């Protein structure tokens, strides 16, 4: 399964990071640092951001499995599964733009692509179907990751994501409503009852997003 292959890549990249600390050095090099924007103390900021980056990467195979299970049960896998394949390919067959980044730095680039794609697909699914595919707010975590990846490269990755989802809205309109309706009926009450609650991903990772997002452009 692609999620397991991605986990193996992550495990190998973690070993490389322990030896060479390339991602840690990158975080240390960020202009002005991210710690004032996230309520972090300078002495522990890079450690917290490294922990965030690793968790952010680790969430990708988790999301692949959760979404794959949901869409197969709901009957909308024909609509959503191609995007899961794109996320997997980001990791397993990186684009030439990412190939120059090795270890955890490269995987963070790929994770950003994956999370942004999940975010866009989730937003479209929610607006068209009336229910989120992933009931978890990833927007703040993605803004933080955008700042770590850095501009203009992160903007280029955003453009790739926008291109990938450009036709999803039209395909949603053409989708036979039976499968989507069944998914909403079976899952909406489950989430409403609070049996499972997924909060803001950035908060889940222990980061306090204190200032407005546009201040991240100064990094």
């Amino acid at each position: 399964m692609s999620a397991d292959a991605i986990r193996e890549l992550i495990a190998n990249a973690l070993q490389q990071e322990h030896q060479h600390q390339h991602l840690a050095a990158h975080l240390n090099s960020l202009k002005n640092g991210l710690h004032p924007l996230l309520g972090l103390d300078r002495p522990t900021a890079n450690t917290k951001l490294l922990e965030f980056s690793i968790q952010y990467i680790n969430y990708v195979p988790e999301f692949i499995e959760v979404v794959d299970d949901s869409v197969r049960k709901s009957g909308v896998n024909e609509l959503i599964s191609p995007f899961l394949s794109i996320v997997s390919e980001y990791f397993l067959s990186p684009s030439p733009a990412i190939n120059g980044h090795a270890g955890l730095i490269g995987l963070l680039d790929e994770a950003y692509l994956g999370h942004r794609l999940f975010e866009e697909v989730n937003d479209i699914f929610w607006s068209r179907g009336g229910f989120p595919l992933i009931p978890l707010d990833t927007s703040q975590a993605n803004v933080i990751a955008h700042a770590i990846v850095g501009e203009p490269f992160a903007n280029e990755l955003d453009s790739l994501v926008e291109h990938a989802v450009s036709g999803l809205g039209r395909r949603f309109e053409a989708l036979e409503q039976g499968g989507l309706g069944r998914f909403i009926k079976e899952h909406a009450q489950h989430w409403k009852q609070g049996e499972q609650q997924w909060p803001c991903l950035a908060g889940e990772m222990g980061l306090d997003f204190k200032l407005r997002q546009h201040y991240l452009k100064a990094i």
Side-chain angles (χ1 to χ4, degrees):
M1 185 177 180
S2 62
D4 291 332
I6 292 172
R7 289 189 179 99
E8 184 175 351
L9 285 177
I10 295 171
N12 291 335
L14 283 169
Q15 289 183 348
Q16 294 179 32
E17 180 66 20
H18 289 319
Q19 293 176 348
H20 304 293
Q21 299 184 339
H22 291 316
L23 180 55
H26 171 70
L27 292 171
N28 191 52
S29 71
L30 291 176
K31 179 183 176 182
N32 298 327
L34 284 170
H35 66 281
L37 303 174
L38 301 173
L40 299 174
D41 294 330
R42 181 179 287 276
T44 61
N46 285 349
T47 299
K48 294 292 290 185
L49 288 173
L50 181 60
E51 291 173 354
F52 164 84
S53 299
I54 293 171
Q55 290 184 57
Y56 185 81
I57 294 168
N58 278 326
Y59 261 101
V60 174
E62 299 296 327
F63 278 17
I64 289 174
E65 290 180 336
V66 167
V67 174
D68 183 63
D69 182 64
S70 294
V71 299
R72 289 185 184 280
K73 289 178 179 177
S74 68
V76 295
N77 54 301
E78 186 174 328
L79 180 70
I80 303 299
S81 290
F83 295 97
L84 298 180
S85 297
I86 291 173
V87 173
S88 297
E89 288 171 9
Y90 284 159
F91 275 83
L92 303 177
S93 301
S95 71
I98 292 177
N99 278 339
H101 294 185
L104 282 183
I105 293 180
L107 292 189
L108 183 62
D109 296 340
E110 294 152 20
Y112 179 70
L113 275 168
H115 278 291
R116 283 288 291 113
L117 186 57
F118 279 128
E119 181 183 11
E120 292 295 327
V121 171
N122 197 44
D123 287 348
I124 294 172
F125 191 92
W126 198 343
S127 64
R128 296 283 183 173
F131 188 76
L133 187 62
I134 303 175
L136 176 64
D137 179 11
T138 63
S139 58
Q140 291 185 356
N142 289 339
V143 170
I144 296 168
H146 182 109
I148 295 174
V149 170
E151 297 183 357
F153 187 48
N155 292 335
E156 295 174 12
L157 301 181
D158 286 334
S159 296
L160 291 175
V161 170
E162 291 170 7
H163 176 73
V165 301
S166 59
L168 181 57
R170 293 189 298 273
R171 275 181 279 171
F172 233 113
E173 293 175 357
L175 179 69
E176 182 177 301
Q177 292 301 307
L180 180 60
R182 185 165 61 252
F183 175 82
I184 295 172
K185 182 177 179 180
E186 292 176 356
H187 290 75
Q189 187 63 30
H190 169 73
W191 293 111
K192 184 177 180 181
Q193 291 174 348
E195 295 176 16
Q196 185 172 358
Q197 297 180 359
W198 292 16
C200 167
L201 185 58
E204 181 82 347
M205 294 179 181
L207 294 184
D208 184 7
F209 196 78
K210 288 193 170 183
L211 300 184
R212 288 177 294 174
Q213 295 179 4
H214 73 264
Y215 282 118
L216 288 170
K217 295 180 180 179
I219 300 303

